[in-house]
Amino acid sequence: PSPKVRGTKRNYCKSCGKLAYQIVLDGAPLPQYGSEAQSLICPLCSLAQGVVLDVQRLVNLYRQQGYEKDALLKARQCCKSVVNTCTTDEDATTMLLSLIHSPAFSTYRRVCPTVEYQCVLLETCRTFPTDFIEALDASKELQELGELKKQAFRVAGDMGSAMKLLQSCDEHTDMLRYILEFFLDLCEEGE
């Protein structure tokens, strides 16, 4: 028999099913159980539900980052192929301007903020074609460096060393990002 709470209605957590002496008043939706309405849940399940939602947000952010990376690579390839066929800077500028205004290239601009920014600089004549291509190359190299750092955690890192680095990286947001990516990769692999 479940314990009775004198003078109060018994409330059960909709997530774990335990008798909850304290209920989170505003509750939370439980989409993993098919409930989009606010449900009464205990404080521990409320905390866990917050973690689940945060992980889902991070997964969506990393998915978006992957889309941005793909758009950057494709935009870079298109621009390089156009610039390689030109003989003068004026020809390259004209060809790049027609390329960046094309419907196919507008997708890359919409998806990747770096491509959009560099295109605006080119349109307003604040950069030259060679600088435009170099900026796209530099962005790609930074992303590759991030992938190398993440692989370093995978090869040499155990969870303990990643936790120590996580505690010590106060202002290094890039390092924090790579550590969190390492943890997300571990979660996706079921470790």
Side-chain angles (χ1 to χ4, degrees):
S2 62
K4 291 184 179 181
V5 179
R6 184 172 277 193
T8 61
K9 181 181 171 187
R10 286 192 282 177
N11 291 308
Y12 292 92
C13 175
K14 300 289 185 195
S15 182
C16 67
K18 293 181 182 175
L19 181 64
Y21 294 101
Q22 293 179 327
I23 291 290
V24 176
L25 293 178
D26 55 351
L30 300 170
Q32 65 269 31
Y33 301 125
S35 171
E36 296 296 327
Q38 299 288 15
S39 303
L40 295 176
I41 56 176
C42 67
L44 287 176
C45 288
S46 175
L47 179 66
Q49 186 66 20
V51 170
V52 166
L53 292 175
D54 286 342
V55 167
Q56 289 171 344
R57 281 188 207 108
L58 282 174
V59 166
N60 288 335
L61 285 173
Y62 289 127
R63 185 177 300 127
Q64 179 62 32
Q65 182 185 14
Y67 295 148
E68 288 178 17
K69 180 181 176 183
D70 291 342
L72 178 67
L73 292 174
K74 289 176 183 174
R76 190 175 138 267
Q77 289 171 348
C78 289
C79 292
K80 277 194 167 189
S81 66
V82 166
V83 170
N84 288 340
T85 62
C86 299
T87 56
T88 65
D89 275 346
E90 293 164 356
D91 290 343
T93 302
T94 305
M95 294 295 286
L96 277 176
L97 285 173
S98 65
L99 174 69
I100 65 176
H101 290 109
S102 69
F105 202 85
S106 66
T107 303
Y108 307 141
R109 291 180 72 164
R110 215 177 22 253
V111 172
C112 184
T114 303
V115 172
E116 174 63 22
Y117 176 71
Q118 293 301 322
C119 287
V120 168
L121 289 179
L122 187 66
E123 290 168 338
T124 57
C125 299
R126 292 188 286 176
T127 189
F128 294 105
T130 53
D131 297 332
F132 178 78
I133 298 293
E134 285 176 10
L136 294 180
D137 284 341
S139 297
K140 180 187 175 287
E141 288 168 6
L142 285 176
Q143 289 180 347
E144 288 175 351
L145 181 63
E147 289 297 319
L148 288 175
K149 286 183 180 179
K150 197 166 79 170
Q151 286 301 323
F153 275 120
R154 171 78 46 216
V155 171
D158 60 323
M159 199 172 291
S161 62
M163 290 298 288
K164 288 177 187 174
L165 279 172
L166 184 61
Q167 291 172 351
S168 67
C169 66
D170 295 330
E171 298 176 13
H172 304 289
T173 55
D174 285 339
M175 184 60 77
L176 178 63
R177 187 179 112 217
Y178 301 129
I179 293 170
L180 290 175
E181 286 178 5
F182 170 70
F183 286 141
L184 281 175
D185 289 345
L186 288 178
C187 290
E188 287 176 354
E189 294 171 2
E191 293 182 28

